[in-house]
Each structure stands twice: as structure tokens, then as C-alpha cells.
């Protein structure tokens, strides 16, 4: 049973990742893409865009990704929604999976609810029919959940009703005067605040072991807390990235030299393709999780995703190193020592720029997606090459 619960939390984490990536994608669009709407609502409906909503009642499943997703028409099947903000205003007959910066549920969900985001809110009008698993920075429950509740957040606020057991993991848990939990309450938190009038039908237990495992124990935190100067962490990260770049160049010398050149040859294609891969891989992992049979593959995709981001960033760094070397020496070709030397300079420049608010994050993001796109372009180019003749 624990494996099932934590598998749901893992799926929620993937959904949150997809939502954040899609929010960045929508903001990078031209200022004015018109709202996307379904041309037909018969059967399943699939939408993507800056701002999306169904044109009418959806007879099947509803899948939508965008900067702003509004489900204001009834959905007869399941719903999978991810975006910068997700607003569910109409009933969903079956299961609902939602992720985004802000997720608001304001109507009935007939099946199970799985939601993740910066802020996850179930309003007074919300009612979930078959339990809920929620994850986020702030989780607020003012509606009704029929069945069990599983929630993990920095802060959880409950003023609604849960007809089953509740398992809550948070730094702070608040049970308001109208909160009602008919079953048992199991929690791992630093602080549980229970207002007068809050009702809990079963026993209340606190998971001490989980607190220690997740850093809620203050003494454990003090033992492992590092309080050195900020530049030590920066130096360690810098050396780690430089070592990773050296491994990439040593293991794949030809690829690491050719792929960065794709950024210069087709910069916009590299950026667009890198952004598509950045968004598409988490979405693929989410779909694999939902199919159940694809969960092992989804876990593998999710596990490899950080390596993809690292490889993309390093290819972007190597591109900057190539351009700096060509500008200073006038020669794009170089030895391993020279390549790593200029890569070290590029990494240092990016590390210093990364200390700047907004600009640093933007430069790092562009470097990463350009490198991802360049890697994919080079991989496609190599696949299209004719096979070498024997001898």
C-alpha cells in the first residue's frame, strides 16, 4: 500500500515539473496567441496553447496543456490538465489529474483526484468522489473528499470534510473550525494546529520516523546543515560541472565537438526543438504513469530527465567555449586541453551570471534548451548519414 501511495506522489512530482515547463513555454510565445478551443467535443479532446478551454461539453477524456487551462465545460471521462494555472469549474465524471503553478478545483470530480502545484485549492463547491492525493507548496481543502486523503505540502489547511482516513505530510498543518475528518489522522509535521470545532473521528498519530527521514527534526537538521560561505557551494558546483564536461568530451569527442555547432548553424531550430523536448519528456512520463502498465518505463524516463538537462547544459557550454576560442584564436579546432580550458571559462562566466536575479536563470534556461536541441539535431543528422562501406 505504501508503494502505491508514494508512486502517486512521484506521478504528482512529474506533473508539477510538466506544468512549470509548460508555463515557461506559454510565456515564451508571441504576446498574443488567441485562446485555443476544441473544434469538436465528440469523443476525446486534446488541446495545447497559451490559453485553452473546451468549446463545449466533452463526451470523452479531456487532455489540455497550456499557460492557462480552464475546464468550464462538463467532462464525461477522465481529465489530464497541466499549465501555469489550472481552473476546473465544471464537473469531471471520472478521474482528474492536474498540475500547475496554481490549481483550483471548484466542482465535482466523480473519480480520484491527483493534483500537484505551487498552490492547490479545493473550494467549498468542490467534491471528490474516490479519494485524493495532493502535493504542493500550499494545499487548501475547503470542499469535500469522499474516501481517503493523502497530501504532502509545506503547509496544509483544511476547512472541509474528509469521509475517510487522512495521511498528511507538511511542516505546518491547520485544521479550521469547520474541518471534519471521519477517519483516522496520521501526520508528519512540525506543527499541528487544531481549532475549536474541528472534528476527527479516529485516532490521531504522529509519524516520528517520517519526521526524521524528511528533515523535520531540528536536531537532525543542525547536524547536517552547512553554514559555510556561499562561494564554497558555487565552487563545488563549478568543479562538478567541469568534471562532467570533461567526461562528455572524453567519452564522446566527435559528438561533443559537432553537436554545439548545430546551435550556430540553426539557432532557432535548436531552441525550438530543445524547448519541445524539455516539455515533451515530462508529459510522456506522465502519460506512462497514467497507463499503469507503463509505470516502470515512466520511472525510467523521469530518472533520466535530469541527465538530459545536464547534457543539454554542457553542450550549450561547449558551444560558448567554441565561439570564445574562435574569437580569440581564429581557429575552431582545438586540442582536448584547449577545449576544457575554454569550457572552464564559459562555465565560470555562466556561474557568475547565474548569481544575477532573473537574468541568470534566463541565460541558464536558454543555454540548456539550445544544447538539448543541438544534441537532438546532431543525433538526427548522424542517423541520416549513409552507412560506411566496408573496408
Amino acid at each position: 500500500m505504501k508503494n502505491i501511495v508514494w508512486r502517486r506522489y512521484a506521478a504528482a512530482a512529474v506533473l508539477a515539473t510538466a506544468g512549470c515547463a509548460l508555463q515557461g513555454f506559454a510565456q515564451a510565445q508571441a504576446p498574443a496567441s488567441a485562446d485555443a478551443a476544441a473544434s469538436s467535443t465528440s469523443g476525446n479532446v486534446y488541446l495545447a496553447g497559451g490559453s485553452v478551454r473546451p468549446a463545449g461539453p466533452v463526451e470523452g477524456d479531456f487532455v489540455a496543456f497550456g499557460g492557462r487551462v480552464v475546464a468550464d465545460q462538463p467532462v464525461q471521462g477522465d481529465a489530464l490538465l497541466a499549465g501555469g494555472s489550472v481552473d476546473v469549474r465544471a464537473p469531471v465524471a471520472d478521474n482528474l489529474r492536474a498540475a500547475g503553478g496554481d490549481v483550483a478545483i471548484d466542482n465535482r470530480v466523480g473519480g480520484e483526484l491527483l493534483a500537484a502545484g505551487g498552490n492547490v485549492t479545493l473550494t467549498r463547491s468542490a467534491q471528490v468522489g474516490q479519494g485524493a492525493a495532493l502535493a504542493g507548496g500550499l494545499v487548501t481543502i475547503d470542499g469535500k473528499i469522499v474516501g481517503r486523503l493523502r497530501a504532502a505540502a509545506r503547509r496544509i489547511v483544511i476547512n472541509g470534510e474528509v469521509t475517510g482516513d487522512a495521511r498528511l505530510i507538511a511542516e505546518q498543518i491547520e485544521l479550521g473550525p469547520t474541518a471534519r475528518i471521519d477517519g483516522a489522522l496520521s501526520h508528519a509535521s512540525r506543527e499541528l494546529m487544531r481549532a475549536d470545532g474541528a472534528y476527527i473521528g479516529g485516532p490521531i498519530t504522529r509519524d516520528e520516523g517520517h519526521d526524521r527521514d524528511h528533515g523535520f527534526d531540528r536536531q537532525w537538521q543542525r547536524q547536517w546543515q552547512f553554514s559555510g560561505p556561499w562561494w564554497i557551494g558555487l565552487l563545488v558546483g563549478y568543479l562538478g560541472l567541469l568534471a562532467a564536461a570533461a567526461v562528455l568530451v572524453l567519452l564522446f569527442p566527435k559528438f561533443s565537438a559537432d553537436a554545439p555547432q548545430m546551435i550556430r548553424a540553426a539557432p532557432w531550430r535548436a531552441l525550438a526543438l530543445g524547448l519541445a523536448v524539455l516539455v515533451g519528456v515530462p508529459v510522456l512520463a506522465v502519460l506512462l504513469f497514467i497507463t499503469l502498465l507503463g509505470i516502470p518505463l515512466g520511472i525510467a524516463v523521469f530518472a533520466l530527465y535530469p541527465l538530459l538537462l545536464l547534457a543539454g547544459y554542457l553542450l550549450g557550454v561547449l558551444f560558448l567555449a567554441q565561439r570564445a576560442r574562435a574569437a580569440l584564436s581564429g581557429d575552431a579546432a582545438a586540442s582536448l586541453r584547449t577545449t576544457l580550458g575554454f569550457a572552464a571559462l564559459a562555465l565560470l562566466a555562466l556561474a557568475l551570471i547565474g548569481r544575477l536575479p532573473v537574468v541568470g536563470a534566463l541565460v541558464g534556461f536558454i543555454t540548456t534548451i539550445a544544447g538539448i536541441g543541438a544534441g537532438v539535431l546532431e543525433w538526427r543528422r548522424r542517423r541520416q548519414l549513409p552507412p560506411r562501406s566496408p573496408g
Side-chain angles (χ1 to χ4, degrees):
M1 185 61 66
K2 289 184 178 179
N3 290 336
I4 294 175
V5 171
W6 289 114
R7 187 171 63 193
R8 289 174 179 171
Y9 286 147
V14 179
L15 277 166
T17 304
C20 293
L22 285 162
Q23 182 180 20
F25 171 73
Q27 292 173 348
Q29 296 292 313
S33 59
D35 287 2
S39 59
S40 173
T41 56
S42 60
N44 300 333
V45 174
Y46 305 91
L47 298 178
S51 178
V52 298
R53 66 196 329 146
V58 180
E59 298 176 3
D61 297 336
F62 180 42
V63 179
F65 303 104
R68 182 169 183 259
V69 177
V70 178
D72 55 0
Q73 297 291 337
V75 178
Q76 298 302 317
D78 297 328
L80 171 61
L81 314 174
S85 66
V86 176
D87 193 359
V88 181
R89 303 174 184 174
V92 177
D94 292 329
N95 300 325
L96 170 62
R97 270 77 172 169
D102 293 295
V103 177
I105 313 299
D106 193 33
N107 214 304
R108 180 179 59 84
V109 177
E112 181 187 40
L113 171 63
L114 171 62
N119 297 296
V120 178
T121 303
L122 275 67
T123 68
R124 293 183 180 274
S125 303
Q127 178 171 329
V128 181
Q130 296 182 19
L134 311 175
L138 171 62
V139 171
T140 304
I141 302 171
D142 293 330
K144 181 177 181 179
I145 297 175
V146 177
R148 297 181 303 167
L149 167 64
R150 301 291 184 270
R154 187 175 185 83
R155 181 179 174 216
I156 299 174
V157 179
I158 300 179
N159 287 296
E161 179 181 357
V162 179
T163 65
D165 297 336
R167 172 77 170 115
L168 309 178
I169 302 173
E171 292 188 8
Q172 185 181 74
I173 299 173
E174 299 179 22
L175 302 180
T178 59
R180 181 183 180 91
I181 299 175
D182 293 336
L185 170 61
S186 173
H187 71 95
S189 63
R190 291 178 177 175
E191 185 178 13
L192 173 62
M193 296 184 292
R194 181 179 178 183
D196 294 339
Y199 172 79
I200 301 175
I204 302 176
T205 58
R206 187 171 186 268
D207 189 347
E208 299 286 349
H210 197 285
D211 288 355
R212 290 193 298 271
D213 292 342
H214 286 76
F216 293 160
D217 185 277
R218 297 179 186 273
Q219 182 63 34
W220 186 90
Q221 280 189 323
R222 284 197 295 267
Q223 291 176 356
W224 290 96
Q225 184 177 7
F226 175 74
S227 58
W230 64 268
W231 58 266
I232 292 183
L234 183 63
L235 178 61
V236 171
Y238 170 79
L239 294 176
L241 287 172
L242 183 58
V247 171
L248 179 63
V249 173
L250 287 171
L251 293 181
F252 308 100
K254 184 66 175 173
F255 184 86
S256 62
D258 294 344
Q261 296 179 15
M262 288 293 179
I263 300 177
R264 185 185 183 190
W268 295 113
R269 286 183 61 194
L271 288 170
L273 187 56
L275 187 58
V277 173
L278 184 75
V279 174
V281 171
V283 172
L284 173 63
V286 169
L287 297 177
L288 290 172
F289 269 104
I290 292 174
T291 61
L292 297 182
L293 293 178
I295 286 177
L297 184 57
I299 293 174
V301 171
F302 186 46
L304 293 174
Y305 189 62
L307 295 179
L308 172 67
L309 298 180
L310 176 61
Y313 184 78
L314 293 177
L315 289 176
V317 168
L318 291 175
F319 166 72
L320 295 177
Q322 287 181 356
R323 300 316 306 151
R325 185 177 66 242
L328 294 176
S329 65
D331 184 10
S335 64
L336 174 62
R337 180 181 300 178
T338 305
T339 298
L340 293 180
F342 278 96
L345 293 176
L347 277 171
L348 179 60
L350 289 173
L352 295 177
I353 294 174
R355 301 289 299 174
L356 300 176
V358 182
V359 175
L362 180 61
V363 171
F365 175 74
I366 293 175
T367 302
T368 302
I369 62 172
I372 293 174
V376 174
L377 288 173
E378 176 61 18
W379 175 76
R380 290 176 56 186
R381 185 189 72 84
R382 288 169 176 260
R383 284 182 58 88
Q384 295 172 357
L385 292 176
R388 294 181 180 179
S389 58

